[in-house]
Amino acid sequence: MAIIAHLKYPIAQPFSGGLEMHTHFLASALRARGHHVTLFASEGSQADLGLVAVCAPTGSAFDEASSARIDLLEAHAYDSIMDAVAKGGFDIVHNNSLHPLPLLRAHEVAAPMVTALHTPPFEPFVQGVVARAHDMTFAAVSKSLAEEWCTVLPRPLVIGNGIDLEAFAFNAQPAGPPHAIWTGRIVPEKGPHLAIDAARAAGLPLVFAGPQSDPAYWDSMIAPRLGADVTYLGHLSHADLARRVGEAHVTLCSPRWEEPFGLVVAESLACGTPVAAFGRGAIPDILDASCGVLARADDVADLGRAVSEAVGLERLACRRRAEHLFDANVMTDRYETLYRAEMRLAAPTVLHAHALGEA
């Protein structure tokens, strides 16, 4: 099978975000189950995932010039990927790309393709989805995200993201003096500056970790807030991130958009760390009163209140919530079931196409 990744960051540790981690786990899990996986991704991705590296990581745009440059690079790269997929003899294609071109060229591939929806609708990705809405299966990573896509797709499937529950092991007791943690890409839409302010409002020191994906945002909104009670840990490896999350007394989650899933929340719960979060997107479906406290969106004072309340929640209840909702093996099972169903439906068409080719 083929997996088409997005190209902005490598599919390798330390992960730039949840989509990279998801793609990495899915490719690894499928290979461990005996599937022959080819991963089309950017350079620097993990080689033993059956990697075909198609270009340097394209990164994120910060102005019109960089946006135009990235658009051109990605168009060429996805064209080359689809050329290879069309010739590759794959039995199933899993599209994680968030780019319209694989969808617009899907009709050139004999194998069935499924596309995972990891973000709310945005252009020009929507153009590709609309083009395939009548003949492709789409799977959203949360119920709330599926609802956001309902104006474009009548009934997308929901296959929730999972995490490696062994990698994010349960920690029955936090470590050190009471403190909070925030993790993720350090960008405006993730709101780490609000998390810093909320932790201070609650009187808790904060440690935070993640890639500095937007230098201007770091310089204007994060660097001025650093101090003795706010510590940047850097961009951590998977193991170091899990350890730090497990040591914390509470995790802050401060999205400024409708969070499509919230892997940070799932990881924290798996470690036994309760969560205080803005109630946006999928997060209200993840947290219940046993494991987290919701705050009004963008309300720093209310998030500070949520932090103070969440600290006292039972850590074992957090772990149980994660085990119930976020076992990545269950996620992989559901994707395998989807692949088998798509291959059964496509079998007569594929056989007919081969027969025509031989005639």
Side-chain angles (χ1 to χ4, degrees):
M1 71 170 294
I3 297 177
I4 304 174
H6 83 139
L7 302 175
K8 296 190 179 301
Y9 307 104
I11 308 303
Q13 294 194 46
F15 299 115
S16 292
L19 181 52
E20 292 80 18
M21 187 179 75
H22 164 83
T23 305
H24 182 277
F25 183 92
L26 184 63
S28 300
L30 291 170
R31 288 176 67 85
R33 295 183 182 202
H35 298 277
H36 296 284
V37 176
T38 299
L39 173 66
F40 293 93
S42 57
E43 295 168 2
S45 298
Q46 190 167 317
D48 63 3
L49 297 179
L51 175 67
V52 175
V54 294
C55 64
T58 59
S60 298
F62 298 109
D63 54 34
E64 290 185 7
S66 63
S67 179
R69 176 182 57 80
I70 289 170
D71 286 348
L72 185 60
L73 287 172
E74 292 186 348
H76 288 313
Y78 282 115
D79 263 331
S80 70
I81 288 173
M82 293 309 294
D83 288 343
V85 170
K87 298 173 185 176
F90 299 106
D91 52 8
I92 188 78
V93 181
H94 182 114
N95 177 28
N96 259 356
S97 70
L98 307 182
H99 195 280
L101 203 150
L103 294 167
L104 296 174
R105 291 191 57 186
H107 66 280
E108 302 172 23
V109 180
M113 179 187 292
V114 299
T115 292
L117 301 172
H118 295 272
T119 68
F122 69 95
E123 293 291 352
F125 185 49
V126 167
Q127 297 173 26
V129 174
V130 169
R132 295 270 73 86
H134 66 290
D135 65 355
M136 184 180 291
T137 298
F138 293 84
V141 298
S142 67
K143 179 181 176 182
S144 66
L145 183 63
E147 291 171 354
E148 290 195 63
W149 277 96
C150 276
T151 57
V152 179
L153 296 165
R155 283 182 297 274
L157 294 177
V158 176
I159 298 181
N161 279 337
I163 61 169
D164 186 343
L165 293 172
E166 293 183 4
F168 288 91
F170 176 58
N171 192 355
Q173 295 292 333
H179 67 283
I181 192 168
W182 183 98
T183 69
R185 288 185 299 115
I186 301 171
V187 293
E189 62 266 27
K190 297 292 186 180
H193 66 290
L194 300 181
I196 293 172
D197 294 347
R200 282 190 169 134
L204 275 186
L206 177 76
V207 297
F208 69 108
Q212 296 183 30
S213 301
D214 186 333
Y217 173 68
W218 174 275
D219 290 342
S220 63
M221 302 298 289
I222 302 300
R225 286 174 162 83
L226 299 178
D229 61 340
V230 178
T231 304
Y232 177 53
L233 302 175
H235 190 186
L236 300 179
S237 69
H238 214 45
D240 287 340
L241 179 65
R243 177 178 60 82
R244 284 288 195 166
V245 170
E247 290 175 349
H249 292 66
V250 62
T251 292
L252 279 82
C253 186
S254 51
R256 306 203 71 193
W257 68 327
E258 299 308 308
E259 188 66 54
F261 182 76
L263 278 170
V264 166
V265 176
E267 292 163 0
S268 297
L269 298 182
C271 293
T273 304
V275 177
F278 290 143
R280 306 190 77 151
I283 294 175
D285 295 330
I286 296 175
L287 295 178
D288 64 12
S290 73
C291 61
V293 181
L294 297 175
R296 291 185 296 273
D298 298 328
D299 188 328
V300 168
D302 202 39
L303 186 57
R305 171 201 59 82
V307 169
S308 299
E309 294 179 11
V311 167
L313 295 176
E314 182 189 358
R315 295 179 72 89
L316 184 56
C318 298
R319 175 67 183 190
R320 287 173 176 159
R321 182 73 170 172
E323 290 173 345
H324 175 64
L325 293 178
F326 306 124
D327 187 339
N329 291 312
V330 174
M331 175 195 75
T332 308
D333 290 342
R334 296 193 65 194
Y335 275 121
E336 281 188 312
T337 299
L338 174 58
Y339 301 154
R340 287 192 291 267
E342 293 294 314
M343 290 164 64
R344 283 195 298 269
L345 287 172
T349 302
V350 173
L351 289 173
H352 180 62
H354 286 322
L356 289 176
E358 293 169 0

